[in-house]
């Protein structure tokens, strides 16, 4: 009997990583575990393992249609309510996921009011910052901007349901920290829903969320279970992960979700049509986001896929991951936000695609040109959702 037909094999995994041993016990979703995620090893002293999502578009190339399908499944788990809903996506990994879930929910409920906002590791403007911590992260400090627009701020301050979106739940601590910060702003919040691709908190911890948070908490996840990690002898390098300067302008845009959105971003249909006409039949295309700038790249990829292009989407990241397991290739380069933090792109090698389209929110700079040179990519600067300019690489 093979693992795919053996219920016990589906429910249990033991993975020997270079950093230690990861043991996973599944309660739900085991039959699609391999389609949804792989296992990887982090170069991180705080957490030596990674549940590497194959449908997130961050560390693994994925078809846009597969990403949208996940967005719709998670949006369908949000409890029904008549009051405004606030969707918050967790930086940096789950920004695209959260924005996709928000937009899928809007498509299913076009008459409803909702706010999307994502956490960030960059300051935009001079408005109020709400700080909280993602303790196990490689870069633990996160911020939520208070929307400067009065209508969006009212949505945040009057909403009754808070939907927090991340790729995984393992302890629930970050969700609790962010919920507490939001409830200090808006004491009217009376329900929290957690939407994640994987929930590895375990049944007991999941059932205890409402008591722990002090209000009703529901969970929507595609895979559920729990894990145990036993660290090995691996010693992670001491590399800086974050250099936050509250006075530094990192070139992060205010237009794509940091300051709040109440509608879906329009897809760059004209750009996609022009690009698709220039590709040879059967060409393989990669559309890459950069750091926190993920969702607009997915929208471009989705439009290309609709036009028949063989396209995959993913993003650069600041997370250091070892070349092992679900990570077959890694490129390291400077970050385009100017923090001086190493950035990476995984599972995409030079020459793997016929065309690489690199989407970015910051102005063109040496870091972006370096990455474009490594991948023979074209640069597309998103000045706004409607104004996109191609930047000459040479």
């Amino acid at each position: 009997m093979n693992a795919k037909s053996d219920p016990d094999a589906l429910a249990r995994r033991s993975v020997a990583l270079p950093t230690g041993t990861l043991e996973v016990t599944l309660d739900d979703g085991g039959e699609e575990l391999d389609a949804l995620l792989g296992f990887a090893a982090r170069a991180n002293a705080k957490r030596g393992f990674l549940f590497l999502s194959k449908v997130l578009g961050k560390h693994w190339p994925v078809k846009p249609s597969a990403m949208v399908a996940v967005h719709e499944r998670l949006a369908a788990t949000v409890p029904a309510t008549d009051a405004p809903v606030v969707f918050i996506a967790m930086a940096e990994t789950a920004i695209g996921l959260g924005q996709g879930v928000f937009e899928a929910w809007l498509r299913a409920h076009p008459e409803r009011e909702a706010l999307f906002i994502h956490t960030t590791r960059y300051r935009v403007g001079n408005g109020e910052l709400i700080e909280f911590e993602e303790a196990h992260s490689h870069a633990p400090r996160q911020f939520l901007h208070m929307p400067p627009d009065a209508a969006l701020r009212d949505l945040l301050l009057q909403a009754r349901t808070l939907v927090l979106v991340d790729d995984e739940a393992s302890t629930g601590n970050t969700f609790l920290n962010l919920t507490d910060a939001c409830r200090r702003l808006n004491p009217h919040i009376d329900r929290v829903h957690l939407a994640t691709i994987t929930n590895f908190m375990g049944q007991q911890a999941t059932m205890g969320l409402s008591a722990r948070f002090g209000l009703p908490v529901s969970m929507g996840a595609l895979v559920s279970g729990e894990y145990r990690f036993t660290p090995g002898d691996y010693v992670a390098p001491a590399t800086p992960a974050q250099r936050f300067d509250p006075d530094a302008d990192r070139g992060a845009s205010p237009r794509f979700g940091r300051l709040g959105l109440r509608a879906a971003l329009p897809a760059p249909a004209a750009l996609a049509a022009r690009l698709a006409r220039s590709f040879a039949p059967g060409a393989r295309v990669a559309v890459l986001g950069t750091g926190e700038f993920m969702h607009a790249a997915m929208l471009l990829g989705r439009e290309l896929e609709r036009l028949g292009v063989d396209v995959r989407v993913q993003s650069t990241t600041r997370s250091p991951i070892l070349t092992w397991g679900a990570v077959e290739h890694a490129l390291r380069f400077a970050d385009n936000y100017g923090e001086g933090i190493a950035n990476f792109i995984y599972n995409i090698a030079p020459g793997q695609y016929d065309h690489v389209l690199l989407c970015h929110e910051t102005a063109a700079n040496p870091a972006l040109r370096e990455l474009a040179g490594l991948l023979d990519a074209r640069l597309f600067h998103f000045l706004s959702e409607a104004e996109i300019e191609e930047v000459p690489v040479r």
Side-chain angles (χ1 to χ4, degrees):
M1 182 180 291
N2 61 38
K4 290 186 182 246
S5 60
D6 181 354
D8 290 335
L10 288 173
R12 294 191 305 273
R13 296 286 178 95
S14 180
V15 186
L17 289 79
T19 54
T21 301
L22 179 66
E23 297 173 85
V24 177
T25 302
L26 301 176
D27 302 316
D28 190 37
E31 68 281 355
E32 59 176 339
L33 178 70
D34 292 328
L36 292 175
L37 63 86
F39 300 99
R42 293 177 186 257
N44 181 349
K46 297 179 181 179
R47 177 174 288 193
F49 62 93
L50 175 67
F51 299 111
L52 188 145
S53 172
K54 296 179 180 178
V55 292
L56 183 66
K58 193 63 178 174
H59 310 108
W60 184 277
V62 56
K63 284 187 175 183
S65 55
M67 297 173 69
V68 172
V70 167
H71 300 163
E72 291 175 345
R73 290 176 66 184
L74 290 179
T77 70
V78 177
T81 176
D82 294 327
V85 180
V86 171
F87 289 77
I88 302 180
M90 308 299 292
E92 74 177 17
T93 304
I95 289 174
L97 176 68
Q99 200 154 1
V101 171
F102 163 73
E103 293 186 357
W105 187 89
L106 285 181
R107 290 193 296 272
H109 305 277
E111 76 289 351
R112 299 290 311 284
E113 273 202 311
L115 169 72
F116 170 77
I117 192 167
H118 70 75
T119 69
T120 181
R121 295 186 171 103
Y122 308 112
R123 170 179 278 284
V124 173
N126 298 312
E128 181 182 354
L129 282 180
I130 299 97
E131 181 175 355
F132 66 101
E133 186 171 281
E134 184 182 14
H136 68 262
S137 173
H138 185 58
R141 294 182 71 186
Q142 290 212 47
F143 307 94
L144 193 69
H145 285 82
M146 180 67 76
D149 179 86
L152 298 183
R153 189 166 58 249
D154 286 345
L155 275 176
L156 178 60
L157 298 179
Q158 295 174 11
R160 304 293 293 273
T161 298
L162 190 62
V163 178
L164 305 182
V165 185
D166 208 348
D167 58 316
E168 71 166 84
S170 53
T171 66
N173 292 337
T174 305
F175 289 133
L176 179 58
N177 292 343
L178 180 54
T179 297
D180 287 344
C182 289
R183 292 180 76 190
R184 287 192 290 271
L185 289 172
N186 176 3
H188 305 295
I189 293 171
D190 57 18
R191 171 179 289 276
V192 174
H193 181 72
L194 310 180
T196 64
I197 297 172
T198 57
N199 169 23
F200 286 116
M201 289 191 294
Q203 288 184 350
Q204 185 174 354
T206 300
M207 293 175 61
L209 284 171
S210 296
R212 185 178 171 196
F213 279 56
L215 77 173
V217 178
S218 53
M219 166 67 74
L222 306 186
V223 173
S224 299
E226 56 188 321
Y227 75 91
R228 182 174 65 183
F229 180 69
T230 304
D233 297 330
Y234 174 80
V235 178
T239 55
Q242 194 169 19
R243 293 193 179 105
F244 177 72
D245 180 349
D247 298 319
D249 182 356
R250 299 295 183 189
S253 174
R255 297 180 177 273
F256 297 96
R258 290 184 182 89
L259 302 185
L261 296 169
R262 65 192 311 168
L265 284 178
L271 173 61
R274 176 169 61 82
L275 290 169
R277 287 193 297 268
S278 71
F279 299 151
R284 300 193 67 218
V285 177
V287 181
L288 305 184
T290 43
E292 295 184 358
F293 187 69
M294 299 173 61
H295 190 61
M298 192 283 290
L299 293 177
L300 175 58
R302 189 187 69 185
E303 287 301 305
L304 289 171
E305 187 179 19
R306 285 176 174 171
L307 294 169
V309 177
D310 181 12
V311 61
R312 300 295 185 274
V313 172
Q314 68 178 101
S315 175
T316 65
T317 175
R318 69 171 73 202
S319 298
I321 309 171
L322 301 182
T323 305
W324 178 91
V327 173
E328 296 181 353
H329 191 276
L331 287 175
R332 175 178 174 143
F333 43 90
D335 79 292
N336 59 299
Y337 292 92
E339 280 189 300
I341 302 297
N343 274 214
F344 307 88
I345 187 79
Y346 298 108
N347 291 314
I348 175 171
Q352 183 176 349
Y353 293 91
D354 298 301
H355 303 276
V356 178
L357 313 177
L358 187 57
C359 304
H360 53 98
E361 60 178 337
T362 65
N365 55 33
L368 287 166
R369 290 191 170 89
E370 175 193 7
L371 179 55
L374 290 172
L375 294 174
D376 192 22
R378 296 164 67 178
L379 295 177
F380 291 88
H381 184 195
F382 283 64
L383 297 153
S384 71
E385 58 270 30
E387 187 179 359
I388 305 164
E389 64 177 14
E390 182 168 3
V391 178
V393 176
R394 298 175 182 86

